[in-house]
Amino acid sequence: MHPALLLLLLASLLHVAAAVGNETSTSGNTSCTPARCGNLTISYPFSLSGVQPVYCGYPVFDLTCDNGTGHAFLRRTFRDHLFRVDNIFYENNSLVAAVQTTFPGDSGCPVPDFNVTSSLSLYPFNISNTTKYLVFVYNCSLPRDVRHELTCANNTMRASISNQWNRMYDPGGPARAVDTVGCQYSVVPVLPWSELRSARDYAGLVRRGFLLEWAAVPGDCAACNASGGECRYDAGAMAFGCFCPSGRLQPATCDLFLPFQFSAALHSSMCSSQAAASSTI
Ligand SMILES: *[C@@H]1O[C@H](CO)[C@@H](O)[C@H](O)[C@H]1NC(C)=O
Ligand SMILES: *[C@@H]1O[C@H](CO)[C@@H](O)[C@H](O)[C@H]1NC(C)=O
Ligand SMILES: *[C@@H]1O[C@H](CO)[C@@H](O)[C@H](O)[C@H]1NC(C)=O
Ligand SMILES: *[C@@H]1O[C@H](CO)[C@@H](O)[C@H](O)[C@H]1NC(C)=O
Ligand SMILES: *[C@@H]1O[C@H](CO)[C@@H](O)[C@H](O)[C@H]1NC(C)=O
Ligand SMILES: *[C@@H]1O[C@H](CO)[C@@H](O)[C@H](O)[C@H]1NC(C)=O
Ligand SMILES: *[C@@H]1O[C@H](CO)[C@@H](O)[C@H](O)[C@H]1NC(C)=O
Ligand SMILES: *[C@@H]1O[C@H](CO)[C@@H](O)[C@H](O)[C@H]1NC(C)=O
Ligand SMILES: *[C@@H]1O[C@H](CO)[C@@H](O)[C@H](O)[C@H]1NC(C)=O
Ligand SMILES: *[C@@H]1O[C@H](CO)[C@@H](O)[C@H](O)[C@H]1NC(C)=O
Ligand SMILES: *[C@@H]1O[C@H](CO)[C@@H](O)[C@H](O)[C@H]1NC(C)=O
C-alpha cells in the first residue's frame, strides 16, 4: 500500500476511534482494572459506570454503584435502581439479582406484583433452571391447594413455593377460569433451595433475589486474561478486544501472532487514540 494512503486510512480510523472514546466520562482513567462497589468486584463483561471507561464491559452489563449503600444496580433498566446485583459468579456466568422496589398492598403484606421475566427481556439473561418460584394469590376467596395464608388488613393472600413458573397463574391461565375468579396473581423467582416455612418469610426470600445466567458474550475473556490482557468491548465496532501490555488491542489473546504489521498498527492506533480521547475529558 502507498504510504500516503496508509496514513490517510489511519487518520480516518483515528477519527472513528476518537468518537468512540468520547463516550467515556471517567476523568482520564483508561484502565479496566476491576472496580469495586461495596463487596462486589466488577470486571468484564460488567463495567462500572463513571468509574471504568465504557469499553471495559459489554454495554447492557453496565452497572451503577450507589456509594451510600454499596449496592450495584443494572443501569439500563427503564427505572433507576430497579435490579440490584448482589453477587457475580464470573466462573460460571451467573449472578444474583434482586428487585428493589416498594410493592403495593396493605402495609403488612406488600405483594411483589412485578413481572421479572418481562422487565429483563432486553437482557441476555436466563433465569436459572434451579430457580424456585414464589407464587402469590390474593384478594379473592383462595383456592384450597395454596398454602400459607396471610391475614392482611384488607385482603387475603397466600404464598407458596413452586419448582416451575406455574402456568396456572399466567393471566388467562387455567386458575383464572375455575373457582378463583377475581384473584390476583403474582410470581417472582427466588434462589434455589428457597423454602417457605411460614408465610411471613416471603419478604426475606424476595429480598435475597434470584439466580440469573448470562448467555455467551463476545470474546473469551478468560483466555485473554490468561495471556496477560485486559478484556474490552468496542461498542462502535461491535467487537471484543484483548488489550495487551504492549499497548495493542488484539482480537482474542495477547499470544496471537498477527501476520500483517499493518493490522497491529491499526489496533494500537485505535487504542492509543481512544486513550487520548478519554483523557481529554
Ligand atoms: C463527543 O462527540 C460528540 C459528537 O460525536 C460531540 O458533539 C461532543 O462535543 C463530544 N464531546 C466531547 C466531550 O468531546
Ligand atoms: C483507574 O481505576 C481503577 C479501578 O477501576 C483504579 O484501580 C485505578 O487506580 C484508577 N487509576 C487512576 C489513574 O485513577
Ligand atoms: C462513587 O465513588 C466513586 C469513587 O469514589 C466515584 O468515582 C463515583 O462517581 C461515585 N458514584 C456516584 C454515583 O456517586
Ligand atoms: C456482599 O455482602 C452481602 C452481605 O454480607 C452478601 O449477601 C453478598 O453475598 C456479598 N457479596 C459478595 C460479592 O461477596
Ligand atoms: C455458580 O457458582 C456459584 C458459586 O459456586 C453458585 O452459588 C451458583 O449457584 C452457580 N451458578 C449456577 C448457575 O450454577
Ligand atoms: C385488593 O383489592 C382492593 C379493592 O379492589 C384494592 O384496593 C387493593 O389494592 C387490592 N390489593 C392488592 C394487594 O392489590
Ligand atoms: C382498609 O380499608 C379501609 C376502608 O376501605 C381503609 O380506610 C383503610 O385505609 C384500609 N387499610 C389499609 C391498610 O389499606
Ligand atoms: C410475565 O411476562 C412474560 C413475558 O412477557 C409472560 O410470558 C408472562 O405470562 C408474564 N407473567 C405474569 C405472571 O404476568
Ligand atoms: C438445567 O440445565 C442443565 C444444562 O444447562 C441441565 O444439565 C440440568 O439437568 C437442568 N436441570 C433441571 C432441573 O432442569
Ligand atoms: C437461555 O435460554 C435460551 C432459550 O431457552 C437458550 O437458547 C440459551 O442457550 C440459554 N442461555 C443460557 C446462558 O443458558
Ligand atoms: C484476570 O486475572 C487477574 C490475575 O491475573 C485477576 O485478578 C482478575 O480477576 C482476572 N480478571 C478476569 C475478568 O477474569
Side-chain angles (χ1 to χ4, degrees), residues 140 142 146-151 155-159 199-200:
C140 61
L142 293 161
V146 183
R147 297 167 56 214
H148 295 304
E149 183 163 351
L150 271 174
T151 310
N155 64 40
T156 50
M157 180 171 90
R158 288 193 195 181
R200 293 281 162 202

Side-chain angles (χ1 to χ4, degrees), residues 114-119 121 165-167 169-171 185-187:
F114 191 86
N115 193 333
V116 170
T117 337
S118 62
S119 51
S121 58
W165 185 277
N166 196 335
R167 295 194 58 81
Y169 302 108
D170 273 353
Y185 303 94
S186 183
V187 184

Side-chain angles (χ1 to χ4, degrees), residues 126 213-216:
N126 282 351
E213 296 172 46
W214 68 81

Side-chain angles (χ1 to χ4, degrees), residues 1-14 262 265-266 269:
M1 203 183 293
H2 193 278
L5 196 61
L6 184 64
L7 265 173
L8 202 69
L9 190 60
L10 282 174
S12 70
L13 281 167
L14 279 168
F262 170 68
L266 185 155
S269 80

